[in-house]
Amino acid sequence: MTGDPLRQPVIDALSGIIDPETGHDLVAMGLIRSVEIEGARARVTMTTTIRGCPMAEMLRLGAEAAVASVPGITDAEVTLEWEPPWTPDRIGGGVWA
Amino acid sequence: MPGKHLARWTLSWFASALSFLLAALALAVPFAPAPGAWLEGRGLALVHLLALGWLSQMMIGASLQFLPVLLARPLPWPWLSPLSLALTGVGTILLALGFIGLEGGGTGLLALAPLPLGAGLGLFLLMAGGTLLPAGGWRDDAGRPVLLALAALILTFASGGGMALAGTGGPVAISPEALPFHVGLGVAGWLGLATAGVSYRLFAMFLIAPDGGGRLRRITAGAALCLTGLLTLGLGLAGHWPAPGWLLPAAMICASVTAGLYIADIAQVWRSRRRARPEVNMRMTRPALAFLALAALLAPVAAIDGRFAEAAVFAALVGWLSGLTLAQMVKITSFLTWIQVFSPRIGKQKLPQVHELVDDAACRRWLGLWFAGAALGTAALLAEHAQGLRLAFAVLLVAALGIAREVRAIRRLAHLSFAARPPVLPPLFLPQLRMDPT
C-alpha cells in the first residue's frame, strides 16, 4: 500500500545504499521499481543499470539487509527485474511505482 | 549468487599483459630499430610483444570479463581462461625469440610459436564465441564489431602463422606480400573493432549515458564489414594473383571512414552523458581518440608510403589502443577491486566509492606522459629520426611504470585511510580461492 506508514522508512533505508560507481543512492538513481508493504512484510522490486551488472546480486542482498533493519519490518524480500530496462532518464525520478 | 557475471582471471590477464608491455618498452629503449627498419627480426619481435603480449592479452582479459556483463550471459567453460592465458603467453615469447633468431641463431622457435599461440587464441575464441553466438551477437550494435574482430583475429593468426612458416621453409607458406593485409587485420580488424565494440556499451556505462546505437552504429558496422572484406580479399590474393593496385588504398580509406564514424558516435555518447564530471579514465579517452583520428588521417597515405605506414601503425597501437587500454585498466582494476573487497558489506555499513580507490591526479599525470611519448614517437617515425624514437620509448617506459605503480596501489587500497582498509586484502593479481567459479 502506498499510504502505509512503513513505506517511507523503507524508502529511506534504500536511500542509504550508495551506488559505488555514481555516488547516487539506489532511489535517486531510479533503481527501485516498487515498494509494497503488507503489515510487517516489505516487498521491493529493483533493477540495475544493465542486466548483466556484476554487482546486481550484491546490491539486492544489501537492499534486503537495509529493508530488514527497518523497525516494524519482520520480513523483507527484494527481487530484481530488468523489463522495461533502466535508462539514465530514471535518475532523480524516485521510486517508479 | 554474488558476482555471478565476474570472470576470475581478469587481473591475471592484466598482470601478464602489463609485464609484456614493460618488457617490450625496456627492450625498445636500447634495441628499437631505426625508422624504416621495422621488418627486421628485432622490430618484428617488439611489435608482436606489443600487439600480442600487451594489447591482445588485455583485450582478451577485458572481453572475458565484459562480454558476459554486456550480453547478460555467463561465459561458457570459464576454466579455459588460465589455460588460454598460459598458452598465449608462451606462444608470444616463442614468437618474439623466433623473430630475434631471424637475425642469426636459427628459426626453430618461429616454427614452434604458432602451436601454443593458436591453441591459446582458439580457447579464447571458444569462450567468446560461446557467449556471443547464443546471445545473437550479430543482432546487437556492440556485438557486430566484436564478431567481426574475432573473424579478423582468426585471419590475422592464419596469415601470421603462414608467414612464420614461410620464414622457416615450412610446408604451408604465405607470401610476404600479405604483410600489409595481415597488419591491417590485426590492428584495425582484431584490436580496433574489438575495442570499438566493447567501448560502445562500456563508455555509456562509465558516462551514465543512453546506450546510443541506432543508424550511425549500423553504418559504422557496414564500413567495418567492408574494411574486413577488402583486407581478407588482399590476404587471399597475396602470393597467388597480383593484387589490384587500388585494393590496399581502398581498404585504408575504408579504415579511415570506419574510424571517423566511430569517433562521431562516441562524441555523441559523450555529449549525452549524465555524469557531470567524467572520471580520469574517460577524460583520458579523449587524447586516445585524437590518436585514432591521427592514424585515420595517415592511413590513406600509408598505403603508398612506408614512412606514413609505420607512423600510422604506431599512432594506432601506442597512442590510441595502448593509451585507451591503460586508461580503462585503471578503472576496471578499481571497479573489480571494490567488488572483491566491499560488495559483501553493501547495506551494512558506509563504504568508499570506487573512485576513492584511485589517485586521479597521479593517473592523469602518467597517462599524460604516455600520450606525450606516443606523440614524440609518431613524430620521430614521420621525421625518420632514430634517436627521437628511442627517446619516445624511454618516455613511454617511465609512463607505463608509473601507471603500473598506480594499479598496484589500487589493488592494495593504498589511497584509502588505514581504517577503511580490511585486515586481509585479496591477492594482487591471482583469483581469490573462495570466489564462485562461474
Side-chain angles (χ1 to χ4, degrees):
Chain A
M1 285 173 62
T2 52
D4 194 288
L6 282 175
R7 179 179 162 86
Q8 194 54 47
V10 165
I11 293 174
D12 290 344
L14 292 167
S15 300
I17 300 177
I18 307 296
D19 173 12
E21 247 305 286
T22 62
H24 296 302
D25 66 71
L26 294 187
V27 178
M29 269 297 282
L31 294 175
I32 304 300
R33 288 171 176 268
S34 64
V35 175
E36 290 173 22
I37 310 291
E38 287 172 20
R41 186 176 190 188
R43 285 184 179 180
V44 174
T45 312
M46 65 174 288
T47 192
T48 49
T49 54
I50 58 164
R51 195 185 188 106
C53 174
M55 281 201 289
E57 185 59 13
M58 286 83 102
L59 286 170
R60 188 194 73 77
L61 289 171
E64 211 162 64
V67 173
S69 71
V70 173
I73 296 292
T74 57
D75 182 9
E77 185 188 18
V78 178
T79 52
L80 285 159
E81 266 183 36
W82 290 279
E83 290 298 333
W86 178 91
T87 66
D89 293 336
R90 291 283 180 189
I91 296 174
V95 179
W96 295 24
Chain B
M1 67 193 69
K4 74 173 183 178
H5 288 298
L6 276 181
R8 298 184 66 199
W9 291 90
T10 308
L11 292 167
S12 308
W13 281 98
F14 285 11
S16 172
L18 201 50
S19 305
F20 274 113
L21 175 67
L22 295 173
L25 294 173
L27 290 169
V29 176
F31 299 122
W38 279 78
L39 292 182
E40 290 173 8
R42 275 179 302 157
L44 291 172
L46 288 173
V47 166
H48 285 83
L49 284 174
L50 282 173
L52 271 172
W54 157 236
L55 285 169
S56 293
Q57 283 206 332
M58 279 300 293
M59 179 51 70
I60 293 172
S63 299
L64 295 179
Q65 179 62 252
F66 286 106
L67 285 179
V69 170
L70 302 180
L71 297 166
R73 197 176 186 91
L75 196 70
W77 318 294
W79 47 271
L80 293 177
S81 183
L83 207 54
S84 174
L85 171 59
L87 287 166
T88 51
V90 169
T92 303
I93 292 168
L94 289 178
L95 190 66
L97 292 173
F99 279 130
I100 291 168
L102 287 175
E103 294 185 2
T107 55
L109 293 178
L110 202 54
L112 196 61
L115 290 175
L117 205 47
L121 295 176
L123 295 180
F124 160 63
L125 287 165
L126 268 180
M127 290 182 279
T131 309
L132 271 161
L133 295 175
W138 62 90
R139 289 192 297 266
D140 185 276
D141 283 330
R144 273 188 289 266
V146 178
L147 279 170
L148 275 176
L150 297 185
L153 173 62
I154 294 169
L155 291 163
T156 308
F157 170 75
S159 55
M163 279 187 279
L165 290 175
T168 59
V172 185
I174 290 185
S175 158
E177 287 166 31
L179 185 64
F181 301 103
H182 168 78
V183 174
L185 279 164
V187 178
W190 154 233
L191 291 169
L193 293 180
T195 298
V198 174
S199 70
Y200 280 143
R201 204 151 287 158
L202 219 50
F203 288 180
M205 275 168 59
F206 291 156
L207 292 168
I208 316 178
D211 185 11
R215 196 157 163 262
L216 179 56
R217 218 158 274 187
R218 284 194 293 277
I219 296 170
T220 312
L225 182 63
C226 179
L227 165 67
T228 315
L230 288 171
L231 291 170
T232 307
L233 180 63
L235 208 57
L237 290 175
H240 301 290
W241 295 278
W246 55 264
L247 191 56
L248 190 57
M252 292 301 99
I253 289 168
C254 216
S256 300
V257 170
T258 309
L261 291 168
Y262 168 72
I263 292 169
D265 198 339
I266 296 302
Q268 208 166 299
V269 173
W270 180 273
R271 282 194 298 270
S272 61
R273 74 186 187 278
R274 295 291 293 266
R275 193 189 278 272
R277 190 169 186 275
E279 291 175 281
V280 66
N281 64 308
M282 289 312 299
R283 293 204 303 282
M284 298 312 275
T285 289
R286 290 177 297 180
L289 290 177
F291 274 96
L292 171 60
L294 174 63
L297 286 173
L298 293 170
V301 198
I304 47 173
D305 188 326
R307 185 163 52 114
F308 285 88
E310 284 186 350
V313 170
F314 188 90
L317 279 181
V318 178
W320 170 40
L321 292 165
S322 296
L324 190 73
T325 301
L326 286 165
Q328 303 313 321
M329 181 175 66
V330 167
K331 174 68 189 178
I332 295 168
T333 303
S334 61
F335 182 66
L336 295 179
T337 304
W338 194 97
I339 290 178
Q340 274 185 308
V341 176
F342 296 110
S343 67
R345 306 183 207 177
I346 295 175
K348 295 169 188 152
Q349 65 183 91
K350 190 176 182 299
L351 299 171
Q353 289 179 34
V354 175
H355 72 84
E356 291 176 58
L357 273 58
V358 180
D359 181 345
D360 198 276
C363 288
R364 203 171 55 242
R365 199 166 50 239
W366 293 123
L367 287 166
L369 188 65
W370 178 271
F371 289 118
L376 179 61
T378 310
L381 285 165
L382 283 171
E384 296 182 308
H385 196 290
Q387 293 310 314
L389 185 59
R390 289 197 178 174
L391 178 63
F393 279 121
V395 172
L396 292 167
L397 176 61
V398 173
L401 284 168
I403 295 163
R405 187 169 167 270
E406 282 307 310
V407 168
R408 190 182 183 285
I410 290 168
R411 289 296 293 161
R412 297 284 68 127
L413 303 178
H415 302 307
L416 292 183
S417 69
F418 187 75
R421 289 180 226 164
V424 180
L425 291 171
L428 199 57
F429 60 85
L430 288 172
Q432 249 174 325
L433 290 174
R434 284 178 292 114
M435 211 172 146
D436 189 276
T438 55

